[in-house]
Amino acid sequence: MSAPRTVLLTGAAGGVGTLMRELLPPYGYDLRLLDVAPVPGAPDAIVADLADRAALREAVRGVDAIVHLAGISLESSFEKIMAANIAGTYHLYEAAREEGVRRVVFASSNHAVGFTRRPRDGEPPVPVDTPHRPDTFYGLSKCFGEDLAQLYWDQHGIETVSVRIGSCFPEPTSVRMLSMWLSPADCARLLHTTLTAENVGHTVVYGSSANTRAWWDLSTARAIGFEPQDDSEPYAEKLIAEKGLPPEGSADDLYLGGHFCVDPPRWPY
Ligand code: NAI
Ligand code: 15L
């Protein structure tokens, strides 16, 4: 595959999208932006819902690749998750198939495997082939997205890297994020890798920086060429002093998905 240049970035108005709009162009990408919300400072951005098949088809026409960030990014009602994340991702892959786009990067999440026990000291990190254990309908939608990506590779030859993002924010803001943090600069490095690596078929990678306290195995990300540069450790002392370590036996202590694993979930429905 030749290096993609024109890339559709869905979810461009969101947190990660806003960071990537700044950090990806220096790698040589010409970004086409899409979001259901207007994208501040980008009057040319396509304002469209993932339900709008005609708009998606036009949006993907002529692009070399798609970075798919759009969707509901926290727990919500099943109906809303179904529309935006499940049906919406399907509509986008159909548009890609119809318009001949050959590479997608799918923003999966740690919450696809959120009910996986986090490793204790001395235990090996969680591998990519650990079974799906979604912690929410949101996490379930990411499991669906990964399986959809596999189907579109096997059936239609569309390549995808599914990136199970940990926590991509300018800084880690909780003790759990010391293990899950993906710095914005490492996120851009990782997306560049996922866009340019050869012969990925459908590859699942974890997306985090080289955190001293990492819980998961970055080997599939490294195998396609990702070299994370950042580490959350400089934030550790202050965060632990401010927030304390998670109580033993709490969701943050036990599971990769942390507080997403509480029952009943405390989300705004
Ligand atoms: P965000 O919620 O800030 O941004 C999502 C964007 O998608 C929003 O701008 C929203 O308007 C747009 N959107 C929602 N529904 C849409 C629809 N039906 N049609 C078109 N656009 C729609 O989320 P964030 O933090 O930027 O995350 C980006 C992606 O990465 C999401 O898919 C999220 O699930 C995933 N992710 C993010 C993590 C993080 O740490 N920020 C961690 C793991 C996964
Ligand atoms: C996610 O999947 C969410 O989209 C993001 O907002 C964070 O909550 C992140 O996971 C996390 O687990 O920190």
Side-chain angles (χ1 to χ4, degrees):
M1 179 179 131
S2 58
R5 284 290 161 251
T6 307
V7 172
L8 176 71
L9 183 73
T10 75
V16 178
T18 300
L19 293 164
M20 293 307 110
R21 280 162 53 208
E22 293 298 318
L23 294 174
L24 281 178
Y27 286 92
Y29 298 109
D30 179 13
L31 297 181
R32 191 180 292 177
L33 309 177
L34 182 146
D35 203 291
V36 72
V39 181
D44 293 342
I46 301 158
V47 179
D49 195 293
L50 290 168
D52 185 342
R53 287 282 289 273
L56 291 186
R57 206 165 158 174
E58 202 173 320
V60 304
R61 193 164 297 144
V63 301
D64 299 315
I66 299 168
V67 174
H68 180 37
L69 303 177
I72 295 172
S73 60
L74 293 169
E75 181 61 321
S76 186
S77 67
F78 182 75
E79 289 72 19
K80 288 179 184 168
I81 293 280
M82 177 75 188
N85 293 18
I86 296 180
T89 302
Y90 159 70
H91 293 317
L92 187 65
Y93 270 87
E94 271 298 278
R97 183 186 64 76
E98 287 163 347
E99 294 296 331
V101 182
R102 312 304 299 167
R103 174 68 61 95
V104 178
V105 179
F106 170 59
S108 184
S109 171
N110 68 84
H111 299 291
V113 292
F115 265 115
T116 306
R117 291 275 178 151
R118 69 132 168 121
R120 322 307 294 192
D121 286 350
E123 290 179 351
V126 176
V128 147
D129 61 2
T130 195
H132 280 162
R133 294 192 76 168
D135 53 29
T136 41
F137 294 138
Y138 165 67
L140 183 64
S141 76
K142 297 301 185 180
C143 298
F144 171 83
E146 291 184 8
D147 279 353
L148 190 74
Q150 186 67 49
L151 175 66
Y152 274 71
W153 165 239
D154 289 333
Q155 203 167 58
H156 304 298
I158 296 175
E159 293 194 296
T160 297
V161 181
S162 291
V163 183
R164 287 183 191 153
I165 303 173
S167 304
C168 183
F169 298 95
E171 293 184 1
T173 56
S174 68
V175 172
R176 174 176 167 271
M177 280 194 202
L178 294 172
S179 301
M180 308 297 280
W181 189 49
L182 176 63
S183 74
D186 277 340
C187 183
R189 272 181 207 105
L190 178 54
L191 292 182
H192 177 53
T193 304
T194 60
L195 287 166
T196 51
E198 300 279 345
N199 302 321
V200 294
H202 175 228
T203 298
V204 180
V205 304
Y206 289 120
S208 76
S209 290
N211 301 319
T212 300
R213 297 163 196 255
W215 288 335
W216 55 25
D217 178 3
L218 287 180
S219 62
T220 57
R222 291 185 193 278
I224 61 166
F226 176 51
E227 284 302 332
Q229 305 291 309
D230 296 320
D231 184 342
S232 62
E233 203 55 21
Y235 300 93
E237 192 178 331
K238 184 163 177 277
L239 274 174
I240 293 169
E242 277 174 13
K243 303 188 185 276
L245 292 170
E248 206 172 315
S250 67
D252 267 354
D253 175 52
L254 291 178
Y255 301 116
L256 285 188
H259 56 285
F260 279 54
C261 299
V262 294
D263 180 28
R266 44 188 150 90
W267 304 102
Y269 272 70

